[in-house]
Amino acid sequence: MRKLWVVWLLVVACVAGGGTALAADDSSTVLVFGAASLTNVLDDLSKAFTEQTKVPVKSSLAASSVLAKQIEAGAPADVFFSADLEWMDYLQQRKLLKPDSRHDVVGNRLVLIAPADSTVAVKLTKGVDLKAVLGPQGKLATGDPDSVPVGKYAKAALEKLAAWDKVSSQIVRAENVRAALAFVARGEAPLGIVYRTDALAEKKVKIVAEFPTDTHPPITYPIALTTHAGAGAQQFVDFVRSKTAAEVFHKYGFVPLQ
């Protein structure tokens, strides 16, 4: 069954063209389903963990919503590392997580970005008119507000600032935060809303403004073991919550919560 999911995940990756879909080759490998915004930091953490324990780690990276649905459908993930609490709640309510294995690990910030050569200036205050900045044809790239965590945070923030109604028709509903980031990096969208950590990882964009923390729910990344989790998975979760991992998270701009 696990090998069938290997093939399925790779096919999905090729068709979707986004995220990294890798699966474990054997039961000794820890298979982590992680939010797309964790791409860089999870790569470093996995390498450090394997060097320390000799336990290999593979990752499937996509929107938390997509990953949660895959786990619900039977994907053999050992660990789920989500970009919001709701999709972790979704799996917990369906009893697809090991009891008492869930922990909040890091936080993030929501930012407005533009291409690196942009001269746009925006203050994110009540009544901000992003439509005037975008123009009639300009697009605002973020995750799909109906399912992707960054899109949900973005919609909440824009609604709080009384700006959503004016720009909702110009939203590019990307499949995950890295896809939204790419739209702006390529110059296909003059503005985007992503996490601060993603903006810091892409030289072709710049942060125009940071959303006040009181405009959206706290951006929290929880981690948990699935009911499928193998022996090495608990070791990996413990490592992610360690002081060593906290230093790696700091390096990429995340804020450890412990």
Side-chain angles (χ1 to χ4, degrees):
M1 181 65 181
R2 191 175 181 92
K3 290 184 177 180
L4 289 176
W5 271 99
V6 172
V7 176
W8 186 85
L9 286 169
L10 290 173
V11 170
V12 169
C14 292
V15 173
T20 302
L22 297 173
D25 295 324
D26 58 64
S27 59
S28 66
T29 300
V30 177
L31 178 55
V32 180
F33 274 30
S37 52
L38 293 167
T39 298
N40 301 82
V41 70
L42 194 53
D43 185 50
D44 278 13
L45 289 173
S46 298
K47 289 177 180 177
F49 173 76
T50 299
E51 288 176 2
Q52 179 177 304
T53 65
K54 308 306 178 187
V55 176
V57 178
K58 297 293 184 182
S59 300
S60 177
L61 300 162
S64 300
S65 52
V66 171
L67 298 173
K69 289 288 189 178
Q70 288 179 359
I71 292 171
E72 183 183 25
D78 296 297
V79 175
F80 181 44
F81 203 167
S82 174
D84 75 351
L85 300 176
E86 289 185 17
W87 285 108
M88 189 65 79
D89 291 342
Y90 181 88
L91 293 183
Q92 188 166 3
Q93 290 162 4
R94 286 156 178 76
K95 302 186 185 304
L96 294 172
L97 304 178
K98 286 194 174 181
D100 303 318
S101 69
R102 174 176 173 173
H103 305 279
D104 294 341
V105 181
V106 290
N108 212 333
R109 298 296 300 270
L110 194 68
V111 297
L112 183 71
I113 61 170
D117 60 357
S118 173
T119 59
V120 66
V122 177
K123 289 186 178 181
L124 294 173
T125 55
K126 191 80 169 182
V128 60
D129 189 1
L130 293 179
K131 188 175 182 67
V133 180
L134 292 171
Q137 302 298 323
K139 300 297 182 181
L140 175 61
T142 192
D144 187 340
D146 292 335
S147 59
V148 179
V150 71
K152 295 192 291 182
Y153 291 126
K155 182 178 181 181
L158 292 175
E159 287 180 332
K160 185 75 172 181
L161 295 174
W164 173 256
D165 289 342
K166 289 183 179 180
V167 298
S168 60
S169 64
Q170 292 173 258
I171 296 290
V172 175
R173 295 170 172 255
E175 63 188 19
N176 60 59
V177 68
R178 286 303 173 101
L181 182 71
F183 275 110
V184 182
R186 293 194 299 263
E188 295 173 11
L191 292 175
I193 300 176
V194 299
Y195 301 123
R196 181 174 178 270
T197 53
D198 294 293
L200 294 175
E202 176 53 76
K203 294 181 179 179
K204 293 181 180 180
V205 307
K206 68 177 183 179
I207 296 174
V208 175
E210 193 168 283
F211 285 87
T213 56
D214 62 358
T215 60
H216 57 82
I219 300 172
T220 303
Y221 290 69
I223 194 169
L225 300 175
T226 70
T227 52
H228 180 276
Q234 181 63 63
Q235 286 180 273
F236 181 78
V237 170
D238 291 342
F239 179 78
V240 167
R241 300 177 65 215
S242 70
K243 290 184 179 179
T244 299
E247 295 176 2
V248 181
F249 281 118
H250 271 301
K251 171 186 172 182
Y252 285 99
F254 291 91
V255 181
L257 300 178
Q258 302 179 56

